Amino acid sequence: QVQLVESGGGSVQAGGSLRLSCAASGTISRANNMGWYRQAPGKQRELVAVINDGGSTNYADSVKGRFTISRDSAKNTVYLQMNSLKPEDTAVYYCKANWLRIGIRWGQGTQVTISS
């Protein structure tokens, strides 16, 4: 059973930084795409950043230049370095990964709260 386990959320003041991590547990081949999504209260879940197995990345316009996604494919782990955080970045952040053989998996979510 493959699960995604997230860590690194928390509360910081505006302008601060946080680093999220998400690791796939269980014996599984390398994931194809891995990414981060977020959902703020009363809003739909939205893409934050994705990275494919070749290392190509894509970011939401709202986080470009502030967030950096990276991965350690050997460990099936994806990271999100978040700098210059703003109150509007407050949300539950979810990790997502997909494999050709088993499909999509989501993490349980980690809360990120930015105070002004």
Side-chain angles (χ1 to χ4, degrees), residues 28-94:
I28 188 68
S29 59
R30 188 170 70 181
N32 296 107
N33 295 328
M34 303 187 80
W36 291 94
Y37 292 71
R38 68 186 180 187
Q39 188 166 18
K43 295 187 176 182
Q44 289 189 328
R45 191 173 298 188
E46 63 176 3
L47 170 72
V48 176
V50 294
I51 183 168
N52 67 16
D53 57 359
S56 295
T57 59
N58 189 34
Y59 295 91
D61 288 342
S62 59
V63 306
K64 283 181 181 177
R66 301 188 297 122
F67 291 11
T68 302
I69 189 171
S70 60
R71 65 186 286 173
D72 182 336
S73 294
K75 296 180 179 179
N76 266 333
T77 299
V78 62
Y79 306 96
L80 186 68
Q81 178 66 45
M82 306 185 292
N83 299 329
S84 302
L85 284 160
K86 304 176 181 180
E88 51 263 43
D89 294 318
T90 294
V92 178
Y93 283 69
Y94 296 90

